[in-house]
């Protein structure tokens, strides 16, 4: 069923609040960004904020993976269009790098909030780990690599876990060190080394 104009407007308002929060957190830090500042930046009332979110952290928890999926989907499709002859290994590396690119754009404080929000969520006794649909592309690439005889361990699921854990580990290290190194540059060198161990 098609969305009503009111539903569309509600989604747009929610996203506007999210992007305002992202901008302010990157500019002045999480601790120094207030909900009132976010509402001013988003041009919404305090009441409207609480219709959509309960806290600053809630903004990030609710939007991060949708934002990431859209970013990865758009950039990966653009890469495939611009590089039709890209090797399977290059596709795997490029896809794996996209989360690091987005994290570098969002800033280390934002990444810390993301990790904190999802670790807190995992403490809930009712918690069930999410399986992010956007990662199915990487799983498919790993299965293709195995079918073509490229995986050293002949185990696409284990290779996927090793590679994606390396991505998340690099993000966490960069955020913990307060963005003190080039996440994209060092991340690409690190993931290339990991991939070399997995891929022949």
């Amino acid at each position: 069923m098609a969305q009503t104009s009111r539903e569309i407007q509600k989604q747009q308002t929610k996203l506007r609040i999210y992007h305002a929060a992202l901008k302010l957190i990157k500019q002045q830090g999480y601790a120094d960004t207030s909900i009132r500042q976010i509402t001013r930046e988003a041009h919404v009332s305090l009441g409207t904020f609480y219709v959509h979110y309960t806290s600053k952290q809630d903004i990030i928890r609710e939007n991060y993976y949708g934002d990431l999926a859209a970013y990865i989907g758009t950039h990966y499709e653009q890469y495939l269009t611009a590089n039709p002859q890209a090797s399977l290994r290059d596709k795997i590396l490029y896809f794996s790098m996209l989360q690091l690119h987005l994290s570098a754009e969002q800033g280390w404080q934002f990444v810390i909030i993301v990790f904190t929000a999802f670790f807190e969520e995992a403490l809930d006794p009712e918690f069930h780990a999410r399986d992010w649909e956007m990662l199915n592309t990487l799983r498919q690439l790993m299965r293709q690599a195995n079918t073509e005889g490229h995986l050293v361990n002949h185990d696409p699921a284990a290779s996927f876990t090793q590679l994606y854990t390396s991505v998340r580990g690099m993000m966490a290290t960069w955020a913990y060190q307060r963005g003190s190194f080039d996440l994209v540059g060092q991340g690409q060198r690190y993931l290339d080394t990991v991939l070399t161990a997995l891929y022949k």
Side-chain angles (χ1 to χ4, degrees), residues 21 35 40 44-45 64 73 89-90 93 99 103 107 115 117 120 137 146 153 158 160 180 183 187 196 198-200:
I35 289 174
R40 278 200 299 266
V44 299
S45 69
Y64 176 73
R89 188 187 190 282
D90 286 344
L93 181 59
Q99 193 164 3
S103 295
F115 273 99
E120 285 183 357
T137 298
N146 190 54
N153 62 5
F160 164 83
S180 64
L183 177 61
T196 295
L198 296 173
Y199 194 100
K200 59 184 178 183

Side-chain angles (χ1 to χ4, degrees), residues 84-96:
Q85 303 303 317
S87 68
L88 180 57
R89 188 187 190 282
D90 286 344
K91 291 176 186 176
I92 292 170
L93 181 59
Y94 185 85
F95 187 93
S96 301

Side-chain angles (χ1 to χ4, degrees), residues 44-127:
V44 299
S45 69
L46 202 57
T48 298
F49 176 91
Y50 285 111
V51 166
H52 297 285
Y53 302 105
T54 59
S55 64
K56 289 188 293 183
Q57 194 178 76
D58 190 36
I59 299 173
I60 290 150
R61 183 186 294 111
E62 283 205 26
N63 290 281
Y64 176 73
Y65 278 100
D67 204 32
L68 177 61
Y71 182 93
I72 287 178
T74 299
H75 286 78
Y76 187 63
E77 284 304 316
Q78 289 173 349
Y79 172 78
L80 293 179
T81 300
N83 300 276
Q85 303 303 317
S87 68
L88 180 57
R89 188 187 190 282
D90 286 344
K91 291 176 186 176
I92 292 170
L93 181 59
Y94 185 85
F95 187 93
S96 301
M97 282 296 302
L98 285 170
Q99 193 164 3
L100 301 188
H101 279 282
L102 181 59
S103 295
E105 290 178 19
Q106 292 171 326
W108 64 267
Q109 292 194 54
F110 190 87
V111 173
I112 285 177
I113 300 158
V114 168
F115 273 99
T116 301
F118 286 101
F119 282 143
E120 285 183 357
E121 185 180 65
L123 291 172
D124 186 333
E126 303 298 317
F127 171 77

Side-chain angles (χ1 to χ4, degrees), residues 88 92 139-157 159 199-200:
L88 180 57
I92 292 170
R139 291 188 180 97
Q140 289 165 2
L141 290 170
M142 286 303 195
R143 285 194 291 269
Q144 183 181 345
N146 190 54
T147 299
E148 294 180 9
H150 295 304
L151 292 187
V152 173
N153 62 5
H154 309 291
D155 187 338
S159 296
Y199 194 100
K200 59 184 178 183

Side-chain angles (χ1 to χ4, degrees), residues 3-13:
Q3 288 183 310
T4 65
S5 58
R6 184 169 183 173
E7 288 171 333
I8 293 169
Q9 185 178 23
K10 188 175 179 181
Q11 287 180 347
Q12 289 173 340
T13 300

Side-chain angles (χ1 to χ4, degrees), residues 64-65 68 96 99-100 103 111 114-115 118-119 130 132 134-135 161-175 183 190-191:
Y64 176 73
Y65 278 100
L68 177 61
S96 301
Q99 193 164 3
L100 301 188
S103 295
V111 173
V114 168
F115 273 99
F118 286 101
F119 282 143
R130 309 181 204 192
W132 306 109
M134 65 186 174
L135 294 177
T161 299
Q162 288 172 295
L163 186 56
Y164 192 61
T165 299
S166 299
V167 172
R168 301 303 289 273
M170 180 60 71
M171 286 171 59
T173 301
W174 175 74
L183 177 61
Y190 175 65
L191 292 182

